[in-house]
Structures are given as C-alpha cells and as structure tokens.
Amino acid sequence: MKYGPDISRIASLIGDPARANMLTALMSGKALTATELAAEAGVTPQTASSHLARLEQGGLLSFRKQGRHKYAALASEQVAQVLEMLMGIAARAGHTRTRTGPRNQALREARICYNHLAGDCGTRMFDRLIERDLLIQDGDDLRLTDIGKTFMRGFGIDLPKLVKGKTPMCRTCLDWSERRSHLAGSLGRALLSRIEDLGWARRDRDTRIVTFTPQGRQAFDALFG
Amino acid sequence: MKYGPDISRIASLIGDPARANMLTALMSGKALTATELAAEAGVTPQTASSHLARLEQGGLLSFRKQGRHKYAALASEQVAQVLEMLMGIAARAGHTRTRTGPRNQALREARICYNHLAGDCGTRMFDRLIERDLLIQDGDDLRLTDIGKTFMRGFGIDLPKLVKGKTPMCRTCLDWSERRSHLAGSLGRALLSRIEDLGWARRDRDTRIVTFTPQGRQAFDALFG
DNA sequence: TTCATAGTTCGAGGGTAATCGAAGCATCGC
DNA sequence: GCGATGCTTCGATTACCCTCGAACTATGAA
C-alpha cells in the first residue's frame, strides 16, 4: 500500500522520553557511557541498556568500546539535524519541558549543537562568514574561499587536518531557536574547539550551554559581531 | 533537569504507524479529508478522528473546514522537512516498508514533496537554477536574481502573485533519496504546477510519484538537464 | 584470586494508548 | 421536513512496551 521508507519506526525511537533525553544529552557532542546516559534519562542501567541497543539498531547511535566502558555518540550529523528540527517544531508548538527562564535564555544565546556552536552566537558567526565572502554557499554545499582559508589559518585552525577526516568540512545545520542556519561539519567543530582553547568560552559540564567570558565575548564580537 | 523543547512529545506523534501514514500521505501537498486519511492509514474514521485531533494539537497539522468536510494539511514546510529527513535516516537504516522495486525507482526519479518537485528531477532542477545564476543562495535564504525573474516570467510564472503570499517564495528542502537540496516555497510549488499545466507531467492519483510524458521529459531536460 | 564496577539478559508486572462498536451532532441534498 | 454522509465522543477491550529486580558476563583493580 505505502511506499518509501518507514518513518514511524525511527520516530517512535525518538518518541520515548527516556530515549529522547539520551539523544538530547548526546547533542552536546560528547560521547557518554551507558551509565551516564541512564542517569541522564532517569532510568536504571538495565532499562538504559535495552534502549541503547534499540537506538543502535535503528541507526541513531553508534558505539565505541573502551575497556569496560561503552561510549555512545550520535550516528551522524543528519541525526543531530533531525533532533534540532524537532526541537524547533516542539518549541513552536509550545511543548517545552520547563518554563522559559534564565537557563533557556542562555541556551538561546549560545549552546552546543552536536559538536559545534549554535544559538544566537552560532548563527551570527555563520552570517558573518558568508557576508565577508569567507564562506560560499553553493547549492547544498558550503566551501571556504581563498580568503576564508587565510582567515581560518590566521585564527589557528589546522585546515589540512580537517580535510583528511571523512566528515564534510562545512555543512549547514538548522538552529531551533533562531530558525536559521549555523555552521556544522568539521570546520564548525574546529572553530568551537579553538574558541575554547583561546579561553573565550567554556562548555557547561552538565548542559548544552556555552558561557563566554567577558573578554572572550568582546573578542568574539570583534571578529564575528 | 532537562532544558529546551520536548522532542519526545512530537516524535511520538510521528511514531505511530497510522499517524505516520497520514503524514506521509499529506506530503503530496494535497489537502485530504478525514475519511480519506483514515483509509490511507488503514483505520476506522473514529480512530482517525482522534489521531487527527492529536496531530493538530501537536502543531503538525492544520485544518480547514468546508461544509461537512474537514481538510487536513501539514502545518508548515518545517514539518514537511522533518518528515523528509526522517525518511532519509530510515532509508539509510534500511527500514523500508516494502522491498525496493520499480515503484521505489519511480519515487527516486520524480515525486511530490509537500507540494513541490523532489527526487532526481527536483535536485537537478535546483542545481541548474543555481548554476545559471537564476537563483542565489545567501545564508539560509534563497532569492531570484534579475535574470531569474525574467526566466520565470518567460516560463509562465506569475511572480507578483507569489510575492503576495505569506509563505517565503524560495526555500530549500532536503531530499531523502538524493540527500541534497531541492527547491521548496511558493516558487517551488508554482513551478510544479506550471509543469503540470504544460502537460509535461502529472501526479499519480494515489502515490507521490510524478510521471513525465516523453515530450514533457524532453522539454524538461532541455530546460533543466 | 577476590572484589568492585560496567554492562547485559531474562522474566514479570503494570500503565499507557491504539483500536473499534455504538451512539450523537452537524451538514448537505432532496 | 427526511435520509444520507462526514465527523466526533464515549466506553471497553486489548496489546504493546516501558520498567525494574535478579541473576549473569566481562573488564579492571588490589
């Protein structure tokens, strides 16, 4: 009767609150162990184990064993994008888990999306890169221009290293709070990483919030504001 | 404990097979009545009614009453995009409802996505428009260039009419089979509509497949191939 | 080896929600 | 007005799956 891929199977995977909590926790980009995810989801390790198995089978998560630990991560950036878009729709429908408050404000300001910078800061940075012709959008692909490459090198990004990876260097990712694009891909990750190394900002330990220091904020604005 | 929008609520809406079937049926862009959707989902009208109510409450569908009929449509293009992306992930994980066959082949070739052209034809058309500088991608926004406007007028598109609508004229939409962008928005819809008016192609009554006539295909390729 | 920690498997229990039959409104055609 | 059709509400049934306790395997530390 119906043709095409089966949406409901994978949507129902995201549809369980415990699994959804695990997935959002992994949006930080950090790989987490099974027990950490169990705590994150508020369930016992046994329950978490079965959830994780199903998420892997559904192609949403991938695992890496290390000693007696099992680290989980989102299977692909596509998965992260879907989660981000779902957040956008959920936010529009008013389905927030908690009342809007200062924490949510901070999330809107700057947060981690998978492994790169999102929120107001993320989209502003992206817009600025495009505006200055450092980055060019061509169809669905993004690519750095020559001056863009120079800029990135000057900022301390090791470009050749990025090219080697199998993930595309530049990708767009839709932002749920801003409803516009920000930069994903290995360059997106490298930029955030560099911003942390410079001490401009640091990730919150438990949430996706990114906090800028006053000086860091100033430097960031000077470059991307 | 957790902050940000609640994904699971809306994902679980999509996660039910009956509702997922309804949503995919609406990806054709046509508004369907409650009973039609019931048939599409393979459930009785009573069951469908409760599903539709929940989908509306969740912000996924919007309704228009007309006499004793109640027409349903996807609430926004964002919803259509999420569904398309979910199909992409589901396809990658191998969760197809039926074996790959001729019908699936046709779907990959040319199909309706919400209300515009998707599949190989859709992405090819989009690429071509960008290539020829008829369309320019700027950040997350698309816009027609002057020669693009001339081109569209020449093709028989009533541009001023499109501008009046509240939906953005140009938008990108990610294609699950091609994993690249194609053109959405009111211009996307207008183009498909024009292609049908010219007799180049017609929509299949019951599926999302778009079938080109031999001459139509030739004309299309000449313009966008 | 022995103990502790990480993760899994198994089985039982329990709650949510999908489903349909029957009945109730609303609207259209006559 | 009357019947027919489209859609909804209500209640009862049923099935699925989320959950955890208990027992098991595997890795690491002492």
Side-chain angles (χ1 to χ4, degrees):
Chain A
M1 185 106 121
K2 292 266 135 262
Y3 293 87
D6 184 7
I7 290 185
S8 70
R9 262 230 202 74
I10 110 114
S12 66
L13 283 177
I14 311 176
D16 176 76
R19 286 192 292 262
N21 282 337
M22 293 176 170
L23 290 170
T24 37
L26 290 169
M27 286 284 282
S28 70
K30 281 197 303 187
L32 297 175
T33 66
T35 26
E36 285 172 329
L37 286 170
E40 201 71 44
V43 294
T44 58
Q46 307 96 292
T47 309
S49 177
S50 87
H51 282 315
L52 292 174
R54 297 184 58 181
L55 286 170
E56 179 180 29
Q57 215 230 327
L60 296 180
L61 293 186
S62 64
F63 293 97
R64 233 181 55 213
K65 274 202 159 173
Q66 224 167 78
R68 53 180 168 180
H69 292 282
K70 187 180 176 184
Y71 286 94
L74 297 186
S76 67
E77 289 213 18
Q78 241 186 328
V79 173
Q81 273 187 38
V82 168
L83 296 178
E84 188 79 8
M85 292 192 74
L86 283 173
M87 286 185 201
I89 293 179
R92 185 186 285 197
H95 294 321
T96 48
R97 251 177 307 203
T98 55
R99 304 234 156 262
T100 320
R103 294 289 275 274
N104 261 316
Q105 192 51 45
L107 272 180
R108 283 189 153 68
E109 185 71 21
R111 67 173 181 280
I112 306 273
C113 171
Y114 195 34
N115 50 29
H116 48 267
L117 192 61
D120 181 55
C121 284
T123 53
R124 283 229 318 284
M125 181 171 77
F126 180 76
D127 291 347
R128 199 66 178 158
L129 292 175
I130 296 281
E131 237 174 75
R132 291 212 233 153
D133 293 324
L134 303 179
L135 203 58
I136 282 194
Q137 200 158 18
D138 179 16
D140 205 35
D141 296 329
L142 286 174
R143 68 168 205 282
L144 269 179
T145 59
D146 287 338
I147 48 172
K149 286 173 188 163
T150 311
F151 175 89
M152 290 302 166
R153 264 191 296 271
F155 189 54
I157 305 282
D158 183 4
L159 287 177
K161 199 170 161 190
L162 297 186
V163 175
K164 267 189 286 185
K166 60 173 181 168
T167 59
M169 190 164 76
C170 310
R171 263 197 86 57
T172 59
C173 179
L174 191 58
D175 200 291
W176 67 259
S177 57
E178 302 296 317
R179 297 193 200 160
R180 283 154 55 212
S181 284
H182 58 245
L183 182 62
S186 62
L187 180 61
R189 171 170 37 209
L191 277 170
L192 175 60
S193 172
R194 181 69 182 145
I195 285 171
E196 288 178 287
D197 288 346
L198 288 170
W200 290 6
R202 60 179 171 68
R203 312 185 183 196
D204 189 76
R205 228 185 110 81
D206 302 315
T207 71
R208 297 169 59 197
I209 296 173
V210 173
T211 315
F212 276 80
T213 65
Q215 303 94 313
R217 182 64 198 215
Q218 209 171 354
F220 181 86
D221 285 344
L223 213 54
F224 303 109
Chain B
M1 185 107 122
K2 292 264 133 266
Y3 294 86
D6 183 8
I7 291 185
S8 69
R9 262 231 201 72
I10 109 114
S12 67
L13 283 177
I14 312 175
D16 176 77
R19 286 192 292 262
N21 282 338
M22 293 176 170
L23 290 169
T24 37
L26 290 170
M27 287 283 283
S28 69
K30 280 197 304 188
L32 298 175
T33 66
T35 24
E36 284 171 330
L37 286 170
E40 201 70 43
V43 295
T44 58
Q46 306 97 290
T47 308
S49 177
S50 86
H51 282 315
L52 292 174
R54 297 186 58 182
L55 285 170
E56 180 180 28
Q57 215 228 328
L60 296 180
L61 292 187
S62 64
F63 292 96
R64 234 181 53 211
K65 274 201 160 173
Q66 225 167 77
R68 52 180 168 181
H69 293 281
K70 187 179 176 184
Y71 286 93
L74 298 186
S76 67
E77 288 213 18
Q78 239 186 330
V79 173
Q81 274 188 38
V82 168
L83 295 178
E84 189 78 8
M85 290 192 75
L86 283 173
M87 286 186 199
I89 292 179
R92 184 186 286 195
H95 294 320
T96 48
R97 251 175 308 203
T98 56
R99 305 233 156 263
T100 320
R103 293 289 275 272
N104 261 318
Q105 192 52 44
L107 271 180
R108 283 189 153 68
E109 185 73 20
R111 67 174 181 280
I112 306 275
C113 170
Y114 195 33
N115 50 31
H116 47 267
L117 193 60
D120 180 56
C121 284
T123 53
R124 283 230 319 285
M125 180 170 76
F126 180 76
D127 291 347
R128 199 67 179 157
L129 291 175
I130 295 282
E131 237 174 77
R132 291 213 234 154
D133 293 325
L134 303 179
L135 203 56
I136 281 192
Q137 199 158 17
D138 178 15
D140 205 35
D141 296 329
L142 285 174
R143 69 167 206 282
L144 270 179
T145 59
D146 287 338
I147 48 172
K149 287 174 187 163
T150 310
F151 174 89
M152 290 304 166
R153 265 191 295 269
F155 189 55
I157 305 283
D158 183 3
L159 286 177
K161 198 169 162 190
L162 298 186
V163 175
K164 267 190 286 184
K166 61 172 179 167
T167 58
M169 189 164 77
C170 310
R171 264 196 85 56
T172 59
C173 180
L174 191 59
D175 200 291
W176 67 259
S177 57
E178 302 295 317
R179 298 194 200 162
R180 283 157 52 213
S181 284
H182 57 245
L183 182 63
S186 62
L187 180 61
R189 170 171 38 209
L191 278 170
L192 174 60
S193 172
R194 181 69 181 145
I195 285 171
E196 288 178 286
D197 289 346
L198 289 169
W200 290 5
R202 58 178 173 68
R203 312 186 184 195
D204 189 76
R205 228 183 110 81
D206 302 315
T207 71
R208 297 169 58 197
I209 296 171
V210 173
T211 315
F212 276 80
T213 64
Q215 303 96 311
R217 181 66 197 212
Q218 208 171 354
F220 181 86
D221 284 344
L223 212 54
F224 303 109

